[in-house]
Amino acid sequence: MRIRLSASIIATALAAAAVSAVISVSVTRTAGQASRPVRTVDGKPNFSGVWQANNEAHWDLQAHEARAGAVMQQGVYPYQYAQVPAAPVLALGAAAGVPGSLGVVQGDGEIPYTPAAAAIKKENAEHWIDRDPELKCYLPGIPRAMYMPYPFQITQSTNKIHMAYAFATTARTIHLDKVEGPPDDTYMGHSVGRWEGDTLVVDIRNFNGKNWFDRAGNFHSDALHLVERFTPITPDAIRYEVTIEDPKTFARPWRIAMPLYRRLEPNIQILEYPCIEFAEEFLYGHVRKQQLVKRWEGETIIVDITRKVPPGDRFYEWYRK
């Protein structure tokens, strides 16, 4: 009797384990959240949800050491390692520092700029405050929108995938069906997708060439062509890869790769980051008749600010960059 009872218990346990295994294939559960299907009704991986990168790529795609500020200037000695934070970031202390990173550029870790483009990249880094489109709250473009330090939401259907980003209330649609091309080039480009097994492959063209890849001055032209690949690692992690091609800027195609993570808070949602209004004084304060932001005084630092208007056509060029 005991033997039969033990066998029955074992059989029941095995059956329960088998049912549990089947359920785990189709449904994932997170503490505090309702059940979420791992696949959509058409059998594709379910990417719907709120996601975010967790790395330092928004500072610099390439490997880099930590430094004391996003803008630096010469210190006591004329060596790069002895530089100190420049005036625009000095008052922010360690909060204005740049964290180090192993980088996300695949292969040898180098971005293969042409010689002319490499010179522009160097100038961009030196003039980050004036040139980075992020500071002006311009649309971030792809792939930069995918790894900025803000969450984004994916809403997936059978023929469209919509991505909404917190930064600048940006959005894009990935077309899985046949559509006409856009009437003009844009910051976010034109995304056309297809499935290769469980990998979502997205082809993007029609960029206007006004975006950067990061805060380090890495940039591209209007000839940019991207191929993104979204491959599920687990129900809550995606491997994100991008092949980057731009013959006006780079000597050859190159790739970046990183994981994207699902935000698991039970009440997670995209909250607007209204940087357009936040950047108004930065963008237009220098053309006010009466300057507003002139001076800030703390316990150890006094900051005096003098705004200036670039002469001639440089005035308009500053907004275009």
Side-chain angles (χ1 to χ4, degrees):
M1 182 67 180
R2 287 181 185 173
I3 294 175
R4 265 184 263 166
L5 183 58
S6 299
S8 175
I9 291 172
I10 292 171
T12 302
L14 290 173
V19 171
S20 176
V22 171
I23 291 175
S24 67
V25 171
S26 59
V27 173
T28 182
R29 295 180 184 273
T30 304
Q33 290 186 328
S35 299
R36 180 179 58 250
V38 172
R39 294 187 177 271
T40 60
V41 293
D42 58 349
K44 303 301 182 185
N46 185 7
F47 293 149
S48 289
V50 177
W51 301 82
Q52 190 167 347
N54 184 19
N55 57 32
E56 302 78 29
H58 67 282
W59 285 105
D60 191 341
L61 293 178
Q62 294 181 273
H64 59 275
E65 63 182 3
R67 63 180 187 272
V71 184
M72 304 288 287
Q73 67 183 45
Q74 183 175 318
V76 176
Y77 303 104
Y79 307 113
Q80 186 171 356
Y81 71 83
Q83 288 185 330
V84 296
V89 298
L90 178 62
L92 298 178
V98 177
S101 173
L102 296 176
V104 297
V105 178
Q106 303 299 286
D108 61 6
E110 296 297 319
I111 298 178
Y113 283 107
T114 64
I120 295 174
K121 189 269 178 184
K122 184 175 182 296
E123 290 180 5
N124 285 344
E126 293 170 350
H127 297 275
W128 171 65
I129 290 178
D130 280 323
R131 295 190 180 184
D132 189 347
E134 180 192 358
L135 274 66
K136 302 172 185 179
C137 193
Y138 293 167
L139 299 184
I142 303 297
R144 191 175 189 180
M146 302 298 296
Y147 47 78
M148 295 182 81
Y150 309 93
F152 63 92
Q153 184 167 17
I154 299 177
T155 304
Q156 182 175 340
S157 73
T158 55
N159 64 348
K160 307 284 184 184
I161 296 177
H162 184 74
M163 294 189 178
Y165 304 88
F167 182 81
T169 320
T170 310
R172 67 160 163 159
T173 298
I174 299 171
H175 303 279
L176 301 177
D177 52 354
K178 189 174 182 179
V179 295
E180 293 184 6
D184 199 1
D185 296 338
T186 65
Y187 282 92
M188 300 300 289
H190 180 65
S191 300
V192 178
R194 67 183 186 276
W195 289 98
E196 293 183 358
D198 281 351
T199 297
L200 172 66
V201 181
V202 184
D203 193 281
I204 318 177
R205 302 174 187 266
N206 298 105
F207 290 97
N208 62 16
K210 297 180 180 180
N211 297 113
W212 282 13
F213 290 110
D214 53 29
R215 295 178 178 176
N218 290 306
F219 75 107
H220 61 80
S221 77
D222 57 0
L224 180 67
H225 171 217
L226 303 178
V227 177
E228 298 175 298
R229 300 180 69 87
F230 298 80
T231 304
I233 302 172
T234 72
D236 298 320
I238 296 171
R239 178 172 172 81
Y240 177 64
E241 302 174 83
V242 190
T243 299
I244 298 164
E245 183 180 10
D246 180 351
K248 291 184 180 179
T249 310
F250 308 115
R252 57 175 172 79
W254 52 286
R255 287 191 311 119
I256 62 173
M258 68 191 73
L260 303 173
Y261 300 99
R262 189 188 297 274
R263 293 285 295 268
L264 297 177
E265 300 92 319
N267 60 342
I268 188 64
Q269 58 184 296
I270 296 296
L271 300 177
E272 183 183 35
Y273 181 66
C275 61
I276 293 176
E277 56 205 72
F278 296 167
E280 284 182 356
E281 188 63 31
F282 173 73
L283 280 169
Y284 311 117
H286 61 313
V287 294
R288 289 183 183 274
K289 184 175 293 186
Q290 296 294 329
Q291 184 178 339
L292 289 180
V293 182
K294 297 181 179 181
R295 180 183 177 90
W296 180 87
E297 184 171 341
E299 294 183 353
T300 62
I301 293 178
I302 296 175
V303 180
D304 289 307
I305 298 173
T306 301
R307 303 294 296 268
K308 66 178 184 179
V309 178
D313 290 341
R314 288 183 60 196
F315 174 81
Y316 303 100
E317 185 70 10
W318 188 81
Y319 292 97
R320 188 196 70 80
K321 290 179 179 176

